[in-house]
Amino acid sequence: MSESLKHPSIALMCELIRRQSVTPDDAGCQAILAERLERLGFACETMVFNDVTNLWARRGTAAPVLCFAGHTDVVPPGDEREWSSAPFEPTVRDGCLYARGAADMKSGLAATIVALEEFIAEHPDHDGSLAVLITSDEEGRARDGTLRVIETLAGRDEHIDWCVLGEPSSESELGDVVRIGRRGSLSGILNVRGIQGHVAYPQLADNPIRRFAPVLAELHQIEWDSGNEHFPPTSFQVVDVRAGIGAPNVTPGELSARFNFRYSTEWTHESLQQKVESVFDAHDIDYELNWHLSGKPFLTTPGKLIDAASQAITETTGNAPELSTGGGTSDGRFIAPSGADVIELGPVNASIHKIDEHVNVEDVITLTAMYRRIIELMLL
Ligand SMILES: [Zn+2]
């Protein structure tokens, strides 16, 4: 174990962890990474949008561009007294390193930098370009981070062909799951208008609960789709319904509700919205419905990048990964629409965002070898 702790990926991860980069504060992490990348011949560009610092670094001008992406920000530690050791002081116990950001995702960042260093030392004249895109606004609002960098790149006709996000994708063992896409997330914010009245005189009132109930029942009965080869079925969930003024003898004049779709590529957000509105319009109901799209679904189809990742995982761990589109959203939702093939491959995610977040030390070393092998397979 003491030998493992001397590995350059572990040393760099510890250096990053000691910087308390609670979202959206980068706390100087990107400067450490930029300095290492500049030494390798990367042209580094810091892009600041409002209070968010982003780093775009590129080595070479030729296509194709293989990019590693990630974030330096972490979620707050919560009550530090609940931690077994201080959250920003990396501490090793039983082969695992405990700290906020250990799994999500300072280990992924450190493995990326060291993999690039090892690869470039051996192959300084590789094909195409290598790039690194890092934000400090992934865990927060995600408005001034990866999205703005991608917009800036598009504005000057610069494109990423392949992207590896070092987010913690693994479930029980390193490399058991590679995320190759994500479901879309679409929310509906509903208001139903009625007329408030005395509960004993319903003919003088118009109860919005009564208007909404049959619509809700119909929405629940729809089988939106049965999923497809890569996506689980689309799910419709109501997250909030409220009405009533708190008095037992008054029917409400208004109802508000909020619902969410996690949807597969069988739908677009437009087609989903149309379908829902057609259900409302078939009923006698006075409503207003606003939509919020947090991310469109994306899918990286099998090809060179997925093959390279699968081969690198099998060579370094002996196991074949599951290709999955499950889980919540990530910055992949901003990178994929630019036309890039995007995958997420990183350490085990069981402890992320929790008290006593940790990563297996040997896994970080294996992850470094995995990334390095992917670069070799893509750019030699
Ligand atoms: Zn993350």
Side-chain angles (χ1 to χ4, degrees):
M1 178 51 60
S2 59
E3 275 310 298
S4 301
L5 294 177
K6 289 183 194 143
H7 190 278
S9 295
I10 306 302
L12 177 55
M13 170 172 64
C14 291
E15 202 181 340
L16 295 172
I17 283 170
R18 290 196 178 95
R19 306 229 159 211
Q20 305 193 10
S21 53
V22 173
T23 192
D25 186 5
D26 168 66
C29 291
Q30 289 175 23
I32 295 172
L33 304 177
E35 195 199 317
R36 303 271 288 246
L37 291 168
E38 263 164 10
R39 253 186 265 157
L40 296 175
F42 279 77
C44 293
E45 221 179 308
T46 294
M47 299 187 190
V48 178
F49 302 107
N50 297 313
D51 54 354
V52 175
T53 308
N54 305 285
L55 175 66
W56 169 249
R58 179 165 173 171
R59 185 179 196 274
T61 51
V65 178
L66 171 62
C67 175
F68 284 81
H71 59 90
T72 51
D73 58 327
V74 298
V75 295
D79 186 349
E80 300 198 11
R81 289 167 304 183
E82 285 187 45
W83 284 70
S84 309
S85 49
F88 294 104
E89 184 48 51
T91 306
V92 176
R93 291 192 294 278
D94 300 329
C96 288
L97 189 141
Y98 288 78
R100 176 57 83 226
D104 188 7
M105 56 163 281
K106 288 177 171 172
S107 46
L109 293 177
T112 295
I113 300 298
V114 174
L116 289 167
E117 288 172 345
E118 290 179 359
F119 172 79
I120 290 165
E122 248 182 75
H123 309 284
D125 301 315
H126 56 82
D127 293 344
S129 298
L130 281 162
V132 174
L133 192 176
I134 294 169
T135 184
S136 63
D137 181 35
E138 199 273 341
E139 302 288 9
R141 293 182 310 166
R143 264 185 233 155
D144 293 313
T146 304
L147 176 65
R148 298 286 298 270
V149 177
I150 291 291
E151 284 172 0
T152 305
L153 296 178
R156 62 191 193 204
D157 219 21
E158 198 171 354
H159 298 286
I160 296 167
D161 296 276
W162 303 304
C163 182
V164 178
L165 273 158
E167 290 279 7
S169 64
S170 302
E171 280 171 12
S172 48
E173 275 174 59
L174 177 66
D176 61 355
V177 174
V178 177
R179 300 221 177 275
I180 59 164
R182 293 281 189 173
R183 290 181 293 177
S185 173
L186 176 70
S187 290
I189 300 120
L190 173 75
N191 244 293
V192 179
R193 286 174 292 262
I195 299 168
Q196 183 178 314
H198 193 300
V199 73
Y201 300 92
Q203 70 278 15
L204 301 177
D206 183 4
N207 190 338
I209 298 173
R210 189 181 174 139
R211 299 277 180 190
F212 182 50
V215 180
L216 188 58
E218 194 172 325
L219 289 172
H220 272 127
Q221 270 159 17
I222 294 171
E223 196 191 317
W224 298 91
D225 58 56
S226 40
N228 55 32
E229 192 191 349
H230 293 292
F231 283 88
T234 292
S235 103
F236 165 77
Q237 293 297 320
V238 179
V239 295
D240 191 35
V241 178
R242 55 187 74 189
I245 66 159
N249 55 354
V250 180
T251 57
E254 214 178 348
L255 173 149
S256 64
R258 193 177 173 110
F259 50 85
N260 177 266
F261 287 95
R262 290 297 158 112
Y263 65 100
S264 75
T265 44
E266 298 294 298
W267 295 88
T268 64
H269 67 282
E270 289 103 341
S271 65
L272 261 182
Q273 288 173 207
Q274 271 170 18
K275 173 73 181 166
V276 170
E277 284 164 10
S278 74
V279 172
F280 274 88
D281 291 338
H283 289 79
D284 186 14
I285 181 169
D286 181 11
Y287 75 98
E288 186 190 320
L289 184 51
N290 291 302
W291 295 97
H292 175 73
L293 176 66
S294 10
K296 295 178 187 174
F298 71 88
L299 177 68
T300 294
T301 46
K304 190 169 175 176
L305 181 60
I306 292 178
D307 288 350
S310 300
Q311 186 180 332
I313 290 167
T314 306
E315 286 179 14
T316 50
T317 69
N319 298 318
E322 177 201 338
L323 306 178
S324 156
T325 57
T329 57
S330 78
D331 275 0
R333 69 192 148 140
F334 302 128
I335 302 170
S338 72
D341 280 351
V342 178
I343 61 166
E344 291 172 27
L345 171 59
V348 173
N349 57 27
S351 68
I352 60 172
H353 295 204
K354 293 186 179 171
I355 301 281
D356 285 347
E357 176 178 349
H358 59 276
V359 69
N360 181 292
V361 171
E362 291 302 326
D363 280 359
V364 182
I365 297 168
T366 308
L367 186 64
T368 308
M370 225 177 245
Y371 288 163
R372 179 180 163 176
R373 189 72 186 117
I374 292 174
I375 306 169
E376 290 170 358
L377 292 166
M378 299 304 286
L379 291 190
L380 288 184

